[in-house]
Amino acid sequence: EDSTTTEITDAALLLHLALAGGSGVIECLEAVAPACRGRVRADLRRVVAAYRWGLDHDDAWAYAAPQWSPVAMAVGLALDHGAAPAEAVRAAAERLQARERARLEAAAGRAGTMLLVPLAAMFLPAFALTTMLPLVIALAPTRLTG
């Protein structure tokens, strides 16, 4: 999912550049699709086909993965209000990027915690055996006789 989100973000940024050139949404989606791969390319081609079949905006984007929802919403709002969708798509791509960055940072934080547990499980007994046990053994005869 994470690589797909990154690819969707990249595709959204490409879509922003294409839309900034002044072309229509369908033409821009068609132009961006070949630059993508795998599921992202398939999603864009399905959305284009749905637009060409005459489906409305929401129905057309229903053929794409759920990760496309910020981009779909940005395009839909811009088209519904008669605005150029380029900046709305750029903002959606930036939100996707920020969300993915936050997810990766949280995963890195969890990974650090998960690494600490085995290290503590290994080094705490080693510390006890190499420092505490010899100290107890060294002090035990003096305490018992004293």
Side-chain angles (χ1 to χ4, degrees), residues 15 19 23-32 47-52:
L15 182 60
L19 289 167
S23 295
V25 172
I26 297 171
E27 293 78 16
C28 291
L29 289 169
E30 282 181 327
V32 170
V47 170
V48 167
Y51 273 128
R52 296 239 184 256

Side-chain angles (χ1 to χ4, degrees), residues 11 29 32-33 36 40-48 61 68:
L29 289 169
V32 170
C36 302
V40 174
R41 178 185 290 175
D43 284 347
L44 290 176
R45 287 183 174 163
R46 281 193 301 267
V47 170
V48 167
W61 281 96
W68 282 100

Side-chain angles (χ1 to χ4, degrees), residues 55-117:
L55 296 179
D56 69 3
H57 174 75
D58 292 333
D59 292 335
W61 281 96
Y63 287 95
Q67 294 97 326
W68 282 100
S69 63
V71 176
M73 197 172 356
V75 171
L77 286 173
L79 292 177
D80 289 346
H81 295 289
E87 287 308 310
V89 169
R90 183 191 54 76
E94 288 174 355
R95 283 193 306 276
L96 279 169
Q97 256 179 341
R99 187 181 310 149
E100 182 66 9
R101 190 177 310 116
R103 189 193 67 77
L104 290 174
E105 287 172 359
R110 285 191 304 275
T113 302
M114 297 311 280
L115 288 174
L116 185 61
V117 172

